């Protein structure tokens, strides 16, 4: 689940009903992106549904409660590990604030796993850190969410497919006549177009298999 989808769930738990437009405005994405987020929440078994016409919108079942059963013990452990890995290559730490939120759901397990990670795990896998809050990363994330082409370092009609984490840094996997990688820290300029593309490209894992 993306962080935005989690935040949408929290918002719906509070208000029970809203519109696509309201959610798009709050989370600064298009209604198309919100529609995909709602679909993914529904696929995960969360009782969210939509209705059209006057009085319509996005609804969450009034009887739905966000409980500790939402996450298993293994889920919590993997989340804590993922947060530590993410902080290891980010110039701006986020782990502690997210851990605090997670403690509201499963306090004992979260504290236990966080203490174990601190005591028994050191992460040293990348040669440089990445600031994920730069305008460059925000533009990349927009292109990923909205599926629009970008011009990157003068290269036009680049379809952003996803991020790739390597030992020497964070890369953007993309397509422009051919598949290519842009090192995020080397991207000096990115311009967002108003032209959409269909996401029918190979994933990075599929691409690697094909070039072997």
């Amino acid at each position: 689940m993306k962080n935005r989808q989690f935040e949408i769930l929290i918002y719906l738990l509070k208000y029970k009903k809203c519109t696509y437009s309201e959610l798009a405005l709050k989370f600064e994405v298009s209604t198309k992106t919100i529609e995909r987020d709602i679909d993914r929440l529904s696929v995960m078994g969360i009782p969210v549904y939509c209705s059209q016409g006057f009085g319509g919108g996005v609804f969450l079942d009034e009887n739905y409660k966000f409980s500790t059963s939402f996450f298993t013990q293994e889920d919590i452990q993997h989340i804590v590990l993922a947060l530590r890995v993410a902080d290891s290559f980010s110039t701006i730490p986020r782990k502690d604030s997210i851990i605090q939120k997670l403690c509201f759901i499963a306090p004992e397990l979260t504290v236990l796993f966080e203490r174990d990670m601190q005591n028994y795990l050191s992460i040293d896998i990348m040669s440089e850190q990445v600031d994920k809050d730069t305008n460059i990363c925000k533009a990349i994330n927009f292109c990923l969410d909205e599926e629009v082409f970008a011009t990157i370092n003068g290269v036009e009609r680049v379809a952003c497919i996803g991020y790739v984490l390597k030992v020497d840094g964070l890369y953007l996997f993309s397509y422009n006549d051919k598949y290519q990688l842009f090192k995020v820290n080397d991207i000096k300029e990115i311009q967002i177009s108003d032209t959409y593309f269909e996401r029918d490209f190979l994933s990075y894992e599929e691409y690697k298999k094909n070039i072997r």
Side-chain angles (χ1 to χ4, degrees):
M1 180 190 292
K2 287 185 178 180
N3 185 58
R4 184 183 60 250
Q5 292 161 11
F6 183 77
E7 295 289 346
I8 289 173
L9 176 56
I10 297 300
Y11 187 84
L12 287 171
L13 279 166
K14 182 177 181 180
Y15 295 105
K16 298 300 181 183
K17 173 190 172 183
C18 58
T19 66
Y20 283 120
S21 298
E22 289 172 1
L23 291 172
L25 182 63
K26 177 174 177 58
F27 294 100
E28 299 180 344
V29 294
S30 70
T31 54
K32 178 182 177 182
T33 296
I34 294 296
E35 288 174 5
R36 288 198 296 265
D37 287 337
I38 297 300
D39 287 342
R40 287 163 185 158
L41 288 173
S42 179
V43 168
M44 285 186 283
I46 296 170
V48 58
Y49 60 97
C50 308
S51 65
Q52 304 295 326
F54 181 77
V58 182
F59 300 83
L60 183 66
D61 191 320
E62 292 185 356
N63 297 318
Y64 177 73
K65 302 294 183 183
F66 193 75
S67 66
T68 54
S69 63
F70 187 82
F71 290 122
T72 66
Q73 177 174 322
E74 290 75 18
D75 290 337
I76 298 292
Q77 189 171 21
H78 280 85
I79 291 170
V80 173
L81 174 60
L83 290 172
R84 287 186 62 82
V85 172
D87 264 15
S88 74
F89 69 83
S90 174
T91 57
I92 302 176
R94 300 278 191 236
K95 174 179 66 66
D96 290 344
S97 63
I98 300 175
I99 287 291
Q100 289 176 1
K101 296 177 183 178
L102 199 58
C103 280
F104 283 107
I105 302 170
E108 295 83 5
L109 285 176
T110 301
V111 171
L112 174 63
F113 289 135
E114 168 65 357
R115 186 181 298 121
D116 283 349
M117 295 291 180
Q118 288 178 341
N119 292 336
Y120 307 123
L121 177 65
S122 296
I123 300 173
D124 184 17
I125 58 174
M126 292 185 62
S127 59
E128 63 180 37
Q129 292 182 309
V130 177
D131 183 355
K132 301 189 297 296
D133 287 336
T134 63
N135 289 332
I136 294 293
C137 284
K138 289 178 181 178
I140 291 172
N141 293 340
F142 181 87
C143 292
L144 288 170
D145 272 338
E146 303 301 326
E147 299 179 353
V148 294
F149 288 108
T151 298
I152 299 178
N153 290 347
V155 181
E156 298 180 345
R157 290 184 65 82
V158 175
C160 300
I161 302 173
Y163 289 107
V164 178
L165 186 61
K166 290 177 170 284
V167 174
D168 63 331
L170 185 67
Y171 287 79
L172 170 66
F173 182 53
S174 62
Y175 186 85
N176 172 262
D177 294 329
K178 63 179 181 180
Y179 291 98
Q180 57 187 320
L181 289 168
F182 289 94
K183 193 171 186 178
V184 172
N185 280 350
D186 291 341
I187 298 177
K188 305 304 180 185
E189 181 184 17
I190 179 169
Q191 296 176 335
I192 301 171
S193 77
D194 56 1
T195 305
Y196 293 88
F197 62 81
E198 292 294 328
R199 188 174 291 278
D200 55 0
F201 303 104
L202 296 176
S203 67
Y204 182 68
E205 289 74 17
E206 293 169 335
Y207 166 74
K208 284 199 306 180
K209 290 178 182 178
N210 284 354
I211 62 175
R212 287 175 182 170

